[in-house]
Amino acid sequence: MPDVIQLLPDSIANQIAAGEVIQRPASVVKELLENAVDAGATDIQLVVKDAGKTLIRVIDNGCGMSETDARMSLERHATSKIRNVDDLFHLHTMGFRGEALASIASIAQIELKSRIKGNGLGTQLIVEGSEVRQQEPCTSPNGTSIAVKNLFFNVPARRKFLKRESVELRHIIDEFERVAIPHPEIRMEFTHNDNEVFHLEKGSFRQRIVSVFGKRYNEKLVPVDEETDLIRISGFVVKPEAAKKTRGEQFFFVNDRFIKSPYLHHAITDALKELVPDKAHPGYFLRLEVEPSFIDVNIHPTKTEIKFEDERTIYAILRSATRKAIGKFNVTPSLDFEQETGFDTPVQPQGPIGIPQVTINPEYNPFQEEENSSTRNQAPRQLTPQERSNQENWEKLYETQPEIAQTLQARFESETDENPEEAGTESTEAEPSTPARVAFQLHGKYILAQIKSGMVVIHQSRAHERILYETYLAALESHSTPSQQQLFPQTVKFSAQDAALVNELLPELQRAGVDINEFGQHSFVVQGLPMYAPNTDPQALLEGVLEQYKNSLQELQLPKQEAFARSLARKTAIKPDHRLQSDEMIALIDELFACKNPYTAPSGKPIIHTFTLSDLDKQFE
Ligand code: ADP
Ligand code: MG
């Protein structure tokens, strides 16, 4: 029997490869753009006609190619990016298979012009279906311009298979965005049928996102930042309440390359599950930087899927980083997160930064539209419900002295009036004689604060207990409070009875921010603790809470939720000897006065004593 096996001619092998790599015009766009980025370009233009069916041209100002390289670049397995197997594991560049250009050349007509900086002349190359038609020296700017014409001209079945123009264009836009977003240092332009689709100037990552998705995004981005030995995560999640019903704003970039990862996507949805409205998908633009040897990019021909060596750890870090970012944002929702000033957005207030341990906002409802910046510009600004209740409580405290209440009112108005644009307007005459807000800590136990009529002494741990009690109660009744994810989940173990009790309390615990799940016989795994008690030992905390809870339930006959909120508040409140900074004390006082009942601890014991000046004066008579 004669031998039957033959080597395929290169042109056919290339066409087969092309079937894998080039599915549609957008695939060409992706490959050309990635090559331009790899060539170190700082300026890239994409010109497309008829959704890529007639023309896709990418012009870059990158390193360019020599005459030989230009020719070589179209050969199969021709790449400047790997020399040996080891290189495969240390690649920082986008492409490395060395088959993109060869594949494209086998199914289209290519015009390539390239010049290396310093060379007088460049090279021009015309190739059709893998055959070189022309190669000659030419004048050309620095860098490379590659035009791909009449894609699939020799594969009619493929050409017929292409979708409507609008669909193909949508795919091209997707690919353009995926390259443009992680490369804000590159100026990028895209025109389709002579209409400008994108014109992106160089800038920060945030500016790039905003230029791609629109100015409204500037207010929606919550920064994420986390660095461990394994990975650096930076970028933004979209405020959960702004999450969309349709998918499409989910971007992971690993070493500046767009990837798809349902697994890592889950880390984000899980982190935000209580905050994102039903059926909506959280948006994010996250850059993950890892050692290239730590990932295997080669598992998919179009390289949008990658494999991490230690995916589970990355999942955990990503989830906790997201939680942390949102938690930080939730406790200080009015804070301005270093918004870009390059845009003409209204000036945002720059308030003092609250201290996370005590700056809680029980009124915060993540699903409620935030007061938008345009209403802030109308003076006088309305007080938020919390500020109003704050003010009312202060007023109540000074009920007997209306003139003090008045002064306080003036103080509140001037203090909450943080917008610099408003500062000069007539409506906000600040009282020059307003007392400075100072507070002192006494024996690590009491807070002394000056008020106009004298001073108040506040029992610090009872005050905190009151704040937490009301926060937890609100969490149990309406929305849950954020929890602080632990980097290393901990297993806790109880007696059979206590384990049954924990099981019964699981929903309450979770709502209050204890991320706990059953884990085998009498054990549970704790992945997060309430924001207010992040550094506590979960076992000790839960044992304490159970004990308190049983006590409140049996002896005091309190309803279940109250008993629980009370026990948790008692166990997570700051203890005596907890040192507080002045701004922490002031934040604590403000939170206390935002409570429904700031005067007594959940146990009924007093929190505040007032000493008026005349009381004091009497002592010195
Ligand atoms: P890969 O990018 O995987 O190496 P390609 O087929 O995409 O394979 O490109 C082959 C080679 O051609 C690249 O390795 C690079 O050396 C060269 N090349 C392609 N595009 C450009 C460009 N825009 N500027 C400079 N060199 C390029
Ligand atoms: Mg490439």
Side-chain angles (χ1 to χ4, degrees), residues 237 247 250-252 259-276 280-284 286 288 308 311-323 485 515 517 527:
V237 286
R247 292 192 61 164
Q250 288 82 31
F251 293 86
F252 282 123
I259 61 137
K260 282 183 191 152
S261 169
Y263 182 66
L264 295 185
H265 173 75
H266 188 267
I268 312 279
T269 42
D270 194 54
L272 303 179
K273 61 177 182 275
E274 297 101 13
L275 298 174
V276 168
H281 302 281
Y284 50 85
L286 291 170
L288 281 54
F308 291 98
E311 222 162 21
R312 292 187 53 161
T313 310
I314 297 201
Y315 180 99
I317 299 173
L318 191 61
R319 200 173 89 130
S320 110
T322 308
R323 284 250 164 183
Q485 290 297 291
D515 186 350
N517 287 294
Q527 283 177 297

Side-chain angles (χ1 to χ4, degrees), residues 468-469 472-473 475-476 501-502 504-514 530 542 545-546 548-550 552-553 558-572:
L468 293 181
Y469 172 69
Y472 293 139
L473 258 192
L476 296 180
L501 196 55
V502 172
E504 191 190 308
L505 283 174
L506 274 184
E508 279 81 10
L509 283 163
Q510 278 157 353
R511 299 214 89 169
V514 184
L542 289 169
V545 170
L546 288 184
Q548 282 279 327
Y549 177 73
K550 283 186 271 190
S552 312
L553 219 53
L558 288 176
K560 182 180 173 190
Q561 297 217 327
E562 250 171 69
F564 173 74
R566 205 166 140 164
S567 331
L568 192 60
R570 169 64 70 85
K571 283 296 148 193
T572 50

Side-chain angles (χ1 to χ4, degrees), residues 207-508:
Q207 277 169 330
R208 181 55 54 98
I209 295 169
V210 172
S211 347
V212 171
F213 289 95
K215 290 212 180 98
R216 324 163 268 121
Y217 268 78
N218 203 20
E219 290 165 20
K220 290 193 195 172
L221 302 175
V222 179
V224 178
D225 220 326
E226 187 74 61
E227 191 161 2
T228 71
D229 291 346
L230 195 66
I231 189 168
R232 189 181 133 75
I233 301 172
S234 60
F236 305 93
V237 286
V238 176
K239 283 186 192 172
E241 67 267 31
K244 300 237 175 83
K245 289 258 155 53
T246 51
R247 292 192 61 164
E249 285 157 8
Q250 288 82 31
F251 293 86
F252 282 123
F253 303 103
V254 173
N255 298 346
D256 291 341
R257 178 185 313 164
F258 172 82
I259 61 137
K260 282 183 191 152
S261 169
Y263 182 66
L264 295 185
H265 173 75
H266 188 267
I268 312 279
T269 42
D270 194 54
L272 303 179
K273 61 177 182 275
E274 297 101 13
L275 298 174
V276 168
D278 223 16
K279 298 209 180 79
H281 302 281
Y284 50 85
F285 306 88
L286 291 170
R287 306 172 98 165
L288 281 54
E289 286 161 63
V290 290
E291 265 298 303
S293 56
F294 196 72
I295 46 179
D296 177 6
V297 199
N298 206 8
I299 61 164
H300 193 275
T302 58
K303 294 168 282 177
T304 51
E305 277 154 34
I306 63 169
K307 223 176 128 38
F308 291 98
E309 209 157 273
D310 192 354
E311 222 162 21
R312 292 187 53 161
T313 310
I314 297 201
Y315 180 99
I317 299 173
L318 191 61
R319 200 173 89 130
S320 110
T322 308
R323 284 250 164 183
K324 202 157 96 188
I326 289 292
K328 223 158 123 191
F329 165 75
N330 274 354
V331 289
T332 48
S334 62
L335 256 196
D336 168 35
F337 285 102
E338 35 121 7
Q339 291 204 358
E340 280 308 328
T341 45
F343 311 107
D344 52 349
T345 45
V347 184
Q348 299 284 316
Q350 300 280 341
I353 297 183
I355 306 302
Q357 276 168 322
V358 287
T359 38
I360 41 149
N361 178 359
E363 303 287 338
Y364 175 64
N365 175 354
F367 301 116
Q368 203 169 17
E369 272 289 303
E370 238 203 292
E371 200 186 348
N372 80 30
S373 42
S374 64
T375 58
R376 278 197 196 138
N377 286 338
Q378 297 156 7
R381 172 180 164 280
Q382 281 204 327
L383 297 182
T384 64
Q386 187 192 343
E387 286 160 353
R388 204 173 310 117
S389 124
N390 221 329
Q391 181 183 330
E392 278 163 16
N393 277 313
W394 277 105
E395 282 168 6
K396 232 185 273 161
L397 185 63
Y398 302 107
E399 242 153 27
T400 47
Q401 291 126 311
E403 76 286 359
I404 294 175
Q406 242 171 30
T407 316
L408 284 167
Q409 165 122 16
R411 183 175 68 83
F412 265 104
E413 276 172 8
S414 65
E415 257 181 20
T416 49
D417 183 8
E418 292 158 323
N419 192 329
E421 283 180 354
E422 284 171 39
T425 60
E426 293 150 37
S427 62
T428 57
E429 283 168 18
E431 267 261 13
S433 63
T434 308
R437 305 197 66 196
V438 277
F440 305 95
Q441 197 175 23
L442 209 65
H443 295 286
K445 197 171 176 190
Y446 295 106
I447 297 170
L448 240 84
Q450 182 187 320
I451 52 174
K452 189 112 188 226
S453 68
M455 66 171 186
V456 283
V457 181
I458 293 170
H459 192 290
Q460 80 181 36
S461 42
R462 284 185 199 160
H464 198 214
E465 209 178 314
R466 161 58 62 183
I467 297 167
L468 293 181
Y469 172 69
E470 293 196 5
T471 309
Y472 293 139
L473 258 192
L476 296 180
E477 279 159 15
S478 50
H479 55 84
S480 43
T481 96
S483 87
Q484 176 81 59
Q485 290 297 291
Q486 309 293 98
L487 202 50
F488 301 103
Q490 289 203 39
T491 318
V492 288
K493 222 172 153 37
F494 299 99
S495 67
Q497 272 164 0
D498 279 358
L501 196 55
V502 172
N503 254 324
E504 191 190 308
L505 283 174
L506 274 184
E508 279 81 10

Side-chain angles (χ1 to χ4, degrees), residues 31-41 58-66 69-70 72-82 93-104 112-114 143-146 303:
E31 295 296 338
L32 297 186
L33 289 178
E34 287 187 349
N35 280 347
V37 171
D38 284 349
V58 170
I59 305 159
D60 70 56
N61 66 348
C63 63
M65 284 181 269
S66 70
D69 279 355
M72 277 290 285
S73 72
L74 302 173
E75 297 290 329
R76 190 130 188 258
H77 304 307
T79 176
S80 54
K81 298 165 194 171
I82 29 176
T93 59
M94 296 277 192
F96 58 87
R97 298 168 67 95
E99 58 187 4
L101 284 187
S103 301
I104 297 168
L112 183 157
K113 265 187 176 188
S114 193
T144 305
S145 155
I146 299 183
K303 294 168 282 177

Side-chain angles (χ1 to χ4, degrees), residues 106-147:
S106 72
I107 49 169
Q109 295 146 355
I110 288 192
E111 269 176 46
L112 183 157
K113 265 187 176 188
S114 193
R115 183 164 74 100
I116 295 182
K117 225 180 246 162
N119 275 10
L121 279 180
T123 305
Q124 171 164 318
L125 203 63
I126 296 182
V127 180
E128 204 178 294
S130 293
E131 278 177 39
V132 180
R133 302 266 181 230
Q134 193 188 328
Q135 174 158 22
E136 58 186 18
C138 71
T139 56
S140 155
N142 284 339
T144 305
S145 155
I146 299 183

Side-chain angles (χ1 to χ4, degrees), residues 4 8 31 64 118 153 176 216 241 251 256 333 398 445 551 589 599 610:
V4 287
L8 285 175
E31 295 296 338
F153 81 104
F176 181 86
R216 324 163 268 121
E241 67 267 31
F251 293 86
D256 291 341
Y398 302 107
K445 197 171 176 190
N551 181 41
I589 295 172
Y599 304 103
T610 314

